[in-house]
Amino acid sequence: MKHYAMRFISGKYQGGEFALPPNSEVIVGRASELDMVLVEDMVSRRHAKIVVSADQVTIQDLGSTNGTFVNGERIKRATLNDGDRVLIGTSIIKLVTSDAATVSPPVGRKQLQEVAAGRRTNQVRSMSGAIDEVPLPDLLQLFGSSRKTGVLVVKTETDIGKIYLERGMIILATINDSEVLAPEKSAYRIITWRHGTFYMEPAEEGQLPNRIQMSAEGALMEGLRIFDEVNRVELPTMLSRISLTRPLLAKLRDLSPEQLDVLQVALHQTQLEAVFNNCPLDDIAIANALATLINDGYLKVTPPTPET
């Protein structure tokens, strides 16, 4: 028999896990007498109901003000599958299953509040997590559907990306606060990042320069289209190290202006992905240029170490 739990992968209760007893109903909300108590302004007093019946788990919104979202879609009622992500308030919660032999001891309301208290003590941002656990496309889809406002900050080993949201719309994006990269390119690039951490900051006051108006859905579609096109170019893994080949026997005069631009950026970077993140050309052009620079002996590639 499967045992179910709701694992908090982002928000003030991140790291907590709420066990769902077999054949049970769990009411989620802000009211102190409920089963799963989430103390935050965006959660209604009686927000949602989770029902476990045999091997099926369903969730129902109870007329909440800010809604209940499953995998980015606002729902009235939905069946949950293992790995589905639920957004309630600022908490992203994943349904997880385990066999009876490996089920953890029950975790409930008291333990969730202890998790939240510990995060306050450590001054961890209320909405944060790892993009290895919550992929950025899923995260942006959730934020777009729930019309969130704020700054999504994403940190990788080499770069810092920021996506500015206003009621679910992308109004600006930057990588390393660069003024060279267009906001649209920055948004498309950040969406493809696979490793790192994220957190939400409050919206910045004042007028933003280079403000754009792009739906999260539109950015996802275009960003993933570009990602697929780049993947068609035969390149080493994005985490590979790059350096100028020494001695350089290939002739610089044989390169096109675009290839020279990419080579110049590569001279100041140590990782393949960082070239994409710091070159103003579109990613498809960068990929083609890099393929030529590597294949023709201008750049040397070192595979990433297991720790990278």
Side-chain angles (χ1 to χ4, degrees), residues 106-289:
V107 175
R109 180 170 61 185
K110 180 180 178 182
Q111 287 81 358
L112 282 184
Q113 301 312 316
E114 290 174 351
V115 169
R119 285 177 64 79
R120 283 196 301 272
T121 299
N122 293 330
Q123 295 183 329
V124 177
R125 292 175 174 88
S126 63
M127 184 169 246
S128 61
I131 58 177
D132 307 67
E133 178 76 16
V134 191
L136 285 173
D138 293 3
L139 196 61
L140 269 181
Q141 191 173 4
L142 285 169
F143 290 167
S145 300
S146 57
R147 299 171 65 82
K148 287 204 175 296
T149 295
V151 184
L152 173 63
V153 182
V154 186
K155 292 186 175 183
T156 70
E157 179 186 342
T158 56
D159 301 288
I160 300 176
K162 296 179 182 178
I163 296 179
Y164 296 74
L165 296 162
E166 185 176 86
R167 297 184 64 79
M169 297 290 291
I170 297 174
I171 58 171
L172 183 64
T174 64
I175 295 175
N176 302 326
D177 293 324
S178 171
E179 297 180 358
V180 175
L181 301 184
E184 293 86 352
K185 170 180 166 101
S186 296
Y188 301 150
R189 282 294 311 137
I190 295 168
I191 287 167
T192 67
W193 294 357
R194 295 293 182 265
H195 306 284
T197 59
F198 73 88
Y199 58 85
M200 282 291 285
E201 288 186 338
E204 294 187 4
E205 297 182 0
Q207 186 67 29
L208 293 173
N210 304 320
R211 183 185 171 104
I212 59 174
Q213 192 78 359
M214 181 192 305
S215 70
E217 182 180 3
L220 287 170
M221 290 179 62
E222 182 63 9
L224 295 177
R225 182 194 70 80
I226 294 172
F227 181 73
D228 288 340
E229 289 291 330
V230 169
N231 278 345
R232 290 193 177 96
V233 181
E234 293 187 4
L235 286 175
T237 174
M238 287 290 181
L239 299 182
S240 298
R241 301 290 176 178
I242 57 169
S243 58
L244 184 69
T245 300
R246 297 180 185 277
L248 182 60
L249 301 179
K251 305 299 183 184
L252 293 178
R253 64 171 176 265
D254 294 336
L255 295 178
S256 69
E258 281 192 344
Q259 292 165 347
L260 284 170
D261 287 345
V262 173
L263 180 62
Q264 185 173 14
V265 173
L267 293 178
H268 300 284
Q269 306 301 327
T270 59
Q271 198 176 76
L272 194 67
E273 183 167 49
V275 177
F276 285 89
N277 294 342
N278 291 277
C279 182
L281 297 175
D282 72 74
D283 282 6
I284 299 172
I286 295 172
N288 287 316

Side-chain angles (χ1 to χ4, degrees), residues 29-83:
R30 201 173 67 246
S32 59
E33 72 274 8
L34 300 183
D35 307 302
M36 186 190 295
V37 181
L38 306 181
V39 185
E40 55 174 288
D41 293 341
M42 292 184 65
V43 176
S44 298
R45 287 184 58 79
R46 289 173 58 85
H47 197 106
K49 177 170 68 174
I50 301 172
V51 178
V52 182
S53 178
D55 279 341
Q56 186 177 71
V57 180
T58 59
I59 186 167
Q60 176 185 346
D61 186 79
L62 299 178
S64 65
T65 301
N66 293 299
T68 301
F69 298 81
V70 176
N71 297 330
E73 297 292 331
R74 187 166 184 163
I75 58 95
K76 291 184 178 178
R77 185 179 183 278
T79 299
L80 297 179
N81 298 306
D82 189 19

